[in-house]
Amino acid sequence: MSILAYALSICMIAITISMFLCLVRLIMGPSIVDRLLALDTLFLNAICLIVVLGIYWASTSLFEGALLVAMLGFVSTTALARYFTSGHVID
C-alpha cells in the first residue's frame, strides 16, 4: 500500500469525525444560527469526503457529484438564511 493510500485513509477518518461533530452541533445547537452554520459545514465536509473518495477510487464521476453537492449546499444555505432573517424565501 502506498503512502497516498495511507494519507487518504487518515483524511477520510478525520473528515468523518468532523462530520459527526457537525451533526452533533446541528442537533444540539443553542441557536438557529449555530445550526445553520453546522449545516453549511456539514455540506463542506461532505464535499471533501466525496473528493477524497474520488481520489482514493480513481473515479472522475465522483467529482461531478461533489459539484452537485456544492451547488445544493449553497442554495439551501442561502435559502435558509434568507428565511430565518426575513421570514420568506422568495420576494
Side-chain angles (χ1 to χ4, degrees):
M1 206 168 174
S2 69
I3 193 161
L4 178 65
Y6 287 122
L8 290 174
S9 298
I10 292 170
C11 287
M12 284 188 275
I13 291 169
I15 293 170
T16 305
I17 291 170
S18 176
M19 288 178 79
F20 175 72
L21 293 174
C22 285
L23 185 64
V24 169
R25 186 57 153 178
L26 183 67
I27 293 170
M28 297 175 44
S31 70
I32 199 69
V33 175
D34 290 330
R35 291 182 175 145
L36 186 61
L37 287 173
L39 181 67
D40 191 36
T41 308
L42 196 61
F43 271 116
L44 182 65
N45 287 333
I47 294 165
C48 292
L49 186 62
I50 291 170
V51 168
V52 169
L53 284 174
I55 295 170
Y56 188 74
W57 290 333
S59 172
T60 58
S61 62
L62 287 177
F63 297 114
E64 294 173 8
L67 285 174
L68 288 174
V69 172
M71 287 188 288
L72 288 174
F74 173 74
V75 170
S76 67
T77 303
T78 306
L80 282 172
R82 177 146 177 127
Y83 177 74
F84 291 139
T85 57
S86 65
H88 59 281
V89 178
I90 300 172
D91 285 333

